[in-house]
């Protein structure tokens, strides 16, 4: 019997795409000199909300990948994967809380904590335009109002 290769959308492939999106958003935020002085414009809020949403999505892909390892009885590998990525949904929660409370210092601290997490992602040039993150802050507010 031959080996089955899944060339479609896998949790690992989706996670790599989300990591790249996060790295590009962090780089775009890092290029905003006003953030250093604590001034958050609408684009910065959208980018930070976009990061929080992507971090939540990364957390979901981790569980999908870990479940695949659990199904093959590689429970140690599954638990290591969960432990290595536990920070993603926790940081997303901290960032969402700070953004919704207009705690810009807390949001900045959350952003700074993300820099080493995405340092390994090589972003040669900007591939995404503002259409990716415009309205993310408003979507975050709407989701919080429903909850």
């Amino acid at each position: 019997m031959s080996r089955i290769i899944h060339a479609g959308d896998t949790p690992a492939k989706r996670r790599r795409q989300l990591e790249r999106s996060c790295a590009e958003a962090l780089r775009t935020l890092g290029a905003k000199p006003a953030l250093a002085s604590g001034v958050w414009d609408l684009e910065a809020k959208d980018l930070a909300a976009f990061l929080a949403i992507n971090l939540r999505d990364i957390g979901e892909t981790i569980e999908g990948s870990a479940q695949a390892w659990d199904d093959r009885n590689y429970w140690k590998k599954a638990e290591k994967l969960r432990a290595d990525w536990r920070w993603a949904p926790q940081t997303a929660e901290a960032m969402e809380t700070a953004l919704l409370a207009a705690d810009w210092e807390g949001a900045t601290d959350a952003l700074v904590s993300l820099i080493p997490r995405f340092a390994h992602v090589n972003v040669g040039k900007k591939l995404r335009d503002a259409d990716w993150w415009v309205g993310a802050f408003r979507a975050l507010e709407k989701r919080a109002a429903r909850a």
Side-chain angles (χ1 to χ4, degrees):
M1 204 155 97
S2 65
R3 195 171 134 167
I4 298 173
I5 298 174
H6 298 284
D9 192 31
T10 64
K13 181 179 178 182
R14 177 125 171 83
R15 185 170 50 255
R16 282 190 300 275
Q17 291 170 341
L18 290 167
E19 281 183 278
R20 182 155 175 94
S21 294
C22 287
E24 287 186 41
L26 277 172
R27 187 177 79 172
T28 304
L29 277 169
K32 291 186 154 298
L35 282 182
S37 61
V39 178
W40 283 67
D41 61 356
L42 185 58
E43 185 182 29
K45 291 176 188 177
D46 279 341
L47 280 163
F50 177 74
L51 275 166
I53 292 167
N54 279 345
L55 288 174
R56 286 221 181 265
D57 291 345
I58 286 173
E60 292 171 9
T61 65
I62 297 306
E63 192 51 43
S65 293
Q67 187 60 46
W69 288 116
D70 278 338
D71 291 346
R72 292 178 181 87
N73 290 325
Y74 292 123
W75 57 272
K76 281 185 178 180
K77 192 165 189 161
E79 288 306 313
K80 181 179 180 338
L81 183 68
R82 287 183 182 111
D84 289 347
W85 286 92
R86 192 166 287 129
W87 62 268
Q90 292 171 350
T91 307
E93 180 68 31
M95 189 174 298
E96 286 176 13
T97 303
L99 288 171
L100 293 172
D103 176 15
W104 307 124
E105 187 175 321
T108 303
D109 291 344
L111 286 173
V112 170
S113 74
L114 290 175
I115 293 170
R117 302 287 188 178
F118 294 103
H120 69 282
V121 180
N122 186 13
V123 180
K125 62 179 182 174
K126 185 177 175 183
L127 297 177
R128 290 161 178 81
D129 57 359
D131 290 349
W132 280 79
W133 59 77
V134 169
F137 184 68
R138 188 174 50 234
L140 195 66
E141 288 177 323
K142 284 182 183 178
R143 191 175 72 185
R146 279 185 296 210

